[in-house]
Amino acid sequence: MSSRGPGRPRTPFVGRRGRMLPGEGPLARVPAVAVFAVVVVVFAVGVIVGGVPGAILLGLLAVGVAVLLATTWPRLRPGERLVRVLVLAVLVAIALGLVLR
């Protein structure tokens, strides 16, 4: 019998302690081109739609960038940190611009 109990799906990260190594996270098998394409499409739709709905889409992208920045911060060099913070700031500025116009 399993100690997980009935109805609990088995995932590779349940009960795992410590840091993950590069290439073993939940998105490790997703092609980078697919992720890039999704980000470009969401950004383009957000800018084209504009207004509050567009700002919400860009806000979701900003949250994703912020989460990735926070999780990778210890491994980034200062120059890489600066570029990623600038990308986040530009994304937030564009989202605010959509709301305020």
Side-chain angles (χ1 to χ4, degrees):
M1 286 303 273
S2 172
S3 64
R4 290 178 282 129
R8 285 187 68 192
R10 184 169 186 253
T11 63
F13 303 108
V14 170
R16 195 166 172 161
R17 301 280 187 238
R19 294 179 175 221
M20 284 191 271
L21 297 173
E24 67 175 22
L27 296 177
R29 294 188 191 119
V30 179
V33 173
V35 174
F36 179 76
V38 169
V39 169
V40 167
V41 167
V42 171
F43 180 83
V45 169
V47 170
I48 291 169
V49 169
V52 174
I56 290 172
L57 286 174
L58 294 182
L60 290 174
L61 280 180
V63 167
V65 169
V67 167
L68 286 174
L69 182 61
T71 57
T72 59
W73 189 267
R75 295 188 180 265
L76 297 175
R77 292 181 294 227
E80 295 170 326
R81 290 176 181 172
L82 177 65
V83 170
R84 289 184 172 112
V85 168
L86 286 174
V87 167
L88 180 59
V90 168
L91 192 54
V92 169
I94 294 171
L96 288 174
L98 289 176
V99 171
L100 299 175
R101 72 170 162 166

